[in-house]
Coordinates of all heavy atoms in Angstrom, one line a residue:
P1 N 95.7 120.6 105.1 CA 95.1 119.9 103.9 C 94.4 118.6 104.3 O 94.8 117.9 105.2 CB 96.4 119.6 103.1 CG 97.5 119.6 104.1 CD 97.1 120.6 105.1
A2 N 93.2 118.4 103.6 CA 92.4 117.3 104.0 C 93.0 116.0 103.5 O 92.6 114.9 104.0 CB 91.0 117.5 103.4
N3 N 93.8 116.1 102.5 CA 94.4 114.8 101.9 C 95.7 115.1 101.2 O 96.1 116.3 101.1 CB 93.4 114.1 101.0 CG 92.9 115.0 99.9 OD1 93.7 115.7 99.2 ND2 91.6 115.0 99.6
R4 N 96.3 114.1 100.7 CA 97.6 114.2 100.1 C 97.5 115.0 98.8 O 98.5 115.7 98.4 CB 98.2 112.8 99.8 CG 99.7 112.8 99.6 CD 100.2 111.4 99.8 NE 99.8 110.5 98.7 CZ 99.3 109.3 98.9 NH1 99.1 108.8 100.1 NH2 99.0 108.5 97.8
F5 N 96.4 114.9 98.0 CA 96.3 115.7 96.8 C 96.4 117.2 97.1 O 97.1 117.9 96.5 CB 95.0 115.3 96.1 CG 94.8 116.2 94.9 CD1 95.4 115.9 93.7 CD2 94.0 117.3 94.9 CE1 95.3 116.7 92.5 CE2 93.9 118.2 93.8 CZ 94.5 117.9 92.6
V6 N 95.6 117.6 98.1 CA 95.5 119.0 98.4 C 96.9 119.5 98.9 O 97.4 120.5 98.5 CB 94.5 119.3 99.4 CG1 94.5 120.8 99.9 CG2 93.1 119.0 98.9
A7 N 97.5 118.6 99.7 CA 98.9 119.0 100.2 C 99.9 119.2 99.1 O 100.7 120.1 99.2 CB 99.3 117.9 101.2
S8 N 99.8 118.4 98.1 CA 100.8 118.4 97.0 C 100.4 119.5 96.0 O 101.3 120.1 95.3 CB 101.0 117.1 96.4 OG 99.8 116.6 95.8
F9 N 99.1 119.8 95.8 CA 98.7 120.7 94.8 C 98.7 122.1 95.2 O 99.0 123.0 94.4 CB 97.2 120.3 94.3 CG 96.8 121.0 93.1 CD1 97.3 120.7 91.9 CD2 95.8 122.0 93.1 CE1 96.9 121.3 90.7 CE2 95.4 122.6 92.0 CZ 95.9 122.3 90.8
V10 N 98.5 122.4 96.5 CA 98.5 123.8 97.0 C 99.8 124.1 97.7 O 100.3 123.4 98.6 CB 97.4 123.9 98.0 CG1 97.4 125.3 98.6 CG2 96.0 123.7 97.3
G11 N 100.5 125.1 97.2 CA 101.8 125.5 97.8 C 102.9 125.6 96.8 O 102.9 124.8 95.9
H12 N 103.7 126.6 96.9 CA 104.9 126.8 96.1 C 106.2 126.8 97.0 O 106.3 127.7 97.8 CB 104.9 128.1 95.3 CG 103.9 128.2 94.2 ND1 103.8 127.3 93.2 CD2 102.9 129.2 93.9 CE1 102.8 127.7 92.4 NE2 102.3 128.8 92.8
P13 N 107.1 125.9 96.8 CA 107.0 124.7 96.0 C 106.1 123.6 96.7 O 105.7 123.9 97.9 CB 108.5 124.2 95.9 CG 109.1 124.8 97.1 CD 108.4 126.1 97.4
P14 N 105.8 122.5 96.1 CA 104.9 121.5 96.7 C 105.5 120.9 97.9 O 106.7 120.9 98.1 CB 104.6 120.5 95.6 CG 105.8 120.7 94.7 CD 106.2 122.1 94.7
M15 N 104.6 120.3 98.8 CA 105.0 119.7 100.0 C 105.9 118.5 99.7 O 105.7 117.7 98.8 CB 103.7 119.3 100.8 CG 104.0 118.6 102.1 SD 102.5 118.1 103.0 CE 101.9 119.6 103.5
N16 N 106.9 118.3 100.6 CA 107.7 117.1 100.6 C 106.8 115.9 101.2 O 106.2 116.1 102.2 CB 108.9 117.2 101.5 CG 109.9 118.2 101.0 OD1 110.4 118.1 99.9 ND2 110.2 119.2 101.8
L17 N 106.7 114.8 100.5 CA 105.9 113.7 100.9 C 106.9 112.4 101.0 O 107.5 112.0 100.0 CB 104.8 113.4 99.9 CG 103.7 114.5 99.8 CD1 102.8 114.3 98.7 CD2 103.0 114.7 101.1
L18 N 107.0 111.9 102.2 CA 107.9 110.8 102.4 C 107.1 109.5 102.8 O 106.3 109.5 103.8 CB 108.8 111.2 103.6 CG 109.5 112.5 103.5 CD1 110.4 112.8 104.7 CD2 110.4 112.6 102.2
H19 N 107.3 108.5 102.1 CA 106.6 107.2 102.4 C 107.4 106.4 103.4 O 108.6 106.3 103.4 CB 106.5 106.4 101.1 CG 105.6 107.0 100.1 ND1 104.3 106.6 99.9 CD2 105.7 108.0 99.2 CE1 103.7 107.3 99.0 NE2 104.6 108.2 98.5
G20 N 106.7 105.9 104.4 CA 107.3 105.1 105.4 C 106.2 104.3 106.3 O 105.1 104.1 105.8
Q21 N 106.6 104.0 107.5 CA 105.7 103.3 108.4 C 105.7 104.0 109.7 O 106.7 104.6 110.2 CB 106.2 101.9 108.6 CG 106.0 101.0 107.4 CD 106.3 99.5 107.7 OE1 107.2 99.2 108.4 NE2 105.5 98.6 107.1
L22 N 104.5 104.0 110.4 CA 104.4 104.5 111.8 C 104.4 103.3 112.7 O 103.6 102.4 112.6 CB 103.1 105.2 111.9 CG 102.9 106.1 113.2 CD1 104.0 107.2 113.2 CD2 101.5 106.7 113.2
V23 N 105.4 103.2 113.6 CA 105.6 102.1 114.5 C 105.9 102.6 115.9 O 106.1 103.8 116.1 CB 106.8 101.2 114.0 CG1 106.6 100.6 112.6 CG2 108.1 102.0 114.0
R24 N 105.8 101.7 116.9 CA 106.0 102.0 118.2 C 107.2 101.2 118.7 O 107.3 100.0 118.5 CB 104.8 101.8 119.1 CG 105.0 102.2 120.6 CD 103.8 102.0 121.4 NE 102.7 103.0 121.0 CZ 102.7 104.3 121.4 NH1 103.7 104.8 122.1 NH2 101.7 105.0 121.0
E25 N 108.1 101.9 119.4 CA 109.3 101.3 120.1 C 109.3 101.8 121.5 O 109.6 102.9 121.8 CB 110.6 101.6 119.4 CG 110.7 101.0 118.0 CD 112.1 101.2 117.4 OE1 112.9 101.9 118.1 OE2 112.3 100.8 116.3
G26 N 108.9 100.9 122.5 CA 108.7 101.3 123.8 C 107.6 102.3 124.0 O 106.5 102.1 123.5
Q27 N 107.9 103.5 124.5 CA 106.9 104.6 124.7 C 106.9 105.5 123.5 O 106.1 106.5 123.5 CB 107.2 105.4 126.0 CG 107.1 104.5 127.2 CD 105.7 104.0 127.4 OE1 104.7 104.8 127.3 NE2 105.5 102.7 127.7
N28 N 107.8 105.3 122.5 CA 107.9 106.2 121.4 C 107.2 105.8 120.2 O 107.1 104.6 119.9 CB 109.4 106.4 121.1 CG 110.2 107.0 122.2 OD1 109.8 107.9 122.8 ND2 111.4 106.5 122.4
R29 N 106.6 106.7 119.5 CA 106.1 106.5 118.1 C 107.1 107.0 117.1 O 107.7 108.1 117.3 CB 104.8 107.3 117.9 CG 103.6 106.9 118.8 CD 102.4 107.6 118.5 NE 102.6 109.0 118.4 CZ 101.9 109.9 117.6 NH1 101.0 109.4 116.8 NH2 102.2 111.2 117.7
L30 N 107.4 106.1 116.1 CA 108.4 106.5 115.2 C 107.8 106.4 113.8 O 107.0 105.5 113.4 CB 109.6 105.5 115.2 CG 110.3 105.3 116.6 CD1 111.4 104.3 116.4 CD2 110.9 106.7 117.0
F31 N 108.3 107.4 112.9 CA 108.0 107.3 111.5 C 109.3 106.8 110.9 O 110.4 107.4 111.1 CB 107.7 108.6 110.9 CG 107.7 108.6 109.4 CD1 106.5 108.2 108.7 CD2 108.8 109.1 108.7 CE1 106.5 108.2 107.3 CE2 108.8 109.0 107.3 CZ 107.7 108.6 106.6
R32 N 109.3 105.7 110.2 CA 110.5 105.1 109.6 C 110.4 105.0 108.1 O 109.4 104.6 107.5 CB 110.7 103.7 110.1 CG 111.2 103.5 111.5 CD 111.6 102.1 111.8 NE 112.1 102.0 113.2 CZ 113.4 102.2 113.5 NH1 114.2 102.6 112.5 NH2 113.8 102.1 114.7
S33 N 111.4 105.5 107.4 CA 111.6 105.3 106.0 C 113.0 104.6 105.8 O 113.7 104.3 106.8 CB 111.5 106.6 105.2 OG 112.6 107.4 105.5
D34 N 113.3 104.5 104.5 CA 114.6 103.8 104.3 C 115.8 104.6 104.9 O 116.7 104.0 105.3 CB 114.8 103.6 102.8 CG 113.8 102.6 102.2 OD1 113.3 101.8 103.0 OD2 113.6 102.7 101.0
A35 N 115.8 105.9 104.8 CA 116.9 106.7 105.2 C 116.7 107.6 106.4 O 117.7 108.2 106.9 CB 117.4 107.5 104.0
L36 N 115.5 107.7 106.9 CA 115.2 108.6 107.9 C 114.4 107.9 109.0 O 113.6 107.0 108.8 CB 114.4 109.8 107.4 CG 115.1 110.8 106.5 CD1 114.1 111.8 106.0 CD2 116.2 111.5 107.2
V37 N 114.5 108.4 110.3 CA 113.7 108.1 111.4 C 113.2 109.4 112.0 O 114.0 110.2 112.4 CB 114.4 107.2 112.4 CG1 113.5 107.0 113.6 CG2 114.9 105.9 111.8
F38 N 111.9 109.6 112.1 CA 111.3 110.7 112.8 C 110.7 110.2 114.1 O 109.8 109.3 114.0 CB 110.2 111.4 112.0 CG 110.7 112.1 110.8 CD1 112.0 112.2 110.4 CD2 109.8 112.8 110.0 CE1 112.4 112.9 109.3 CE2 110.2 113.5 108.9 CZ 111.5 113.6 108.6
Q39 N 111.2 110.7 115.2 CA 110.6 110.2 116.5 C 109.5 111.2 116.9 O 109.7 112.4 117.0 CB 111.6 110.2 117.6 CG 111.1 109.7 118.9 CD 112.2 109.5 119.9 OE1 113.2 108.9 119.6 NE2 112.0 110.0 121.2
L40 N 108.3 110.6 117.1 CA 107.1 111.4 117.4 C 106.8 111.3 118.9 O 107.4 110.5 119.6 CB 105.9 110.9 116.6 CG 106.1 110.7 115.1 CD1 104.8 110.2 114.5 CD2 106.5 112.1 114.5
G41 N 105.9 112.2 119.4 CA 105.6 112.1 120.8 C 104.9 110.8 121.2 O 104.4 110.1 120.3
P42 N 104.7 110.5 122.5 CA 104.1 109.3 122.9 C 102.6 109.2 122.6 O 102.1 108.1 122.4 CB 104.4 109.2 124.4 CG 104.6 110.7 124.8 CD 105.3 111.3 123.6
G43 N 101.9 110.3 122.6 CA 100.5 110.3 122.3 C 100.3 110.9 120.9 O 101.2 111.3 120.2
G44 N 99.0 111.0 120.5 CA 98.7 111.6 119.2 C 97.4 111.0 118.6 O 96.8 110.0 119.2
A45 N 96.9 111.6 117.6 CA 95.7 111.2 116.9 C 95.8 109.8 116.3 O 94.8 109.1 116.0 CB 95.2 112.2 115.9
V46 N 97.0 109.5 115.9 CA 97.2 108.2 115.1 C 98.1 107.3 115.9 O 99.2 107.6 116.4 CB 97.9 108.5 113.8 CG1 98.0 107.3 112.9 CG2 97.2 109.6 113.0
E47 N 97.6 106.1 116.2 CA 98.4 105.1 116.9 C 99.1 104.2 115.9 O 98.6 103.8 114.8 CB 97.4 104.2 117.7 CG 97.1 104.7 119.1 CD 98.4 104.9 119.9 OE1 99.2 104.0 120.0 OE2 98.6 106.1 120.4

């Protein structure tokens, strides 16, 4: 999906969308929200 609208509008049921922050801790990229931490790989399209 090119954007959040398409992601949420296309698909049954709609995509889960979680608001948070993308941060770096050491060599790790992390997605942080209030209740979850997703650890991402060290590289990627988004810094």
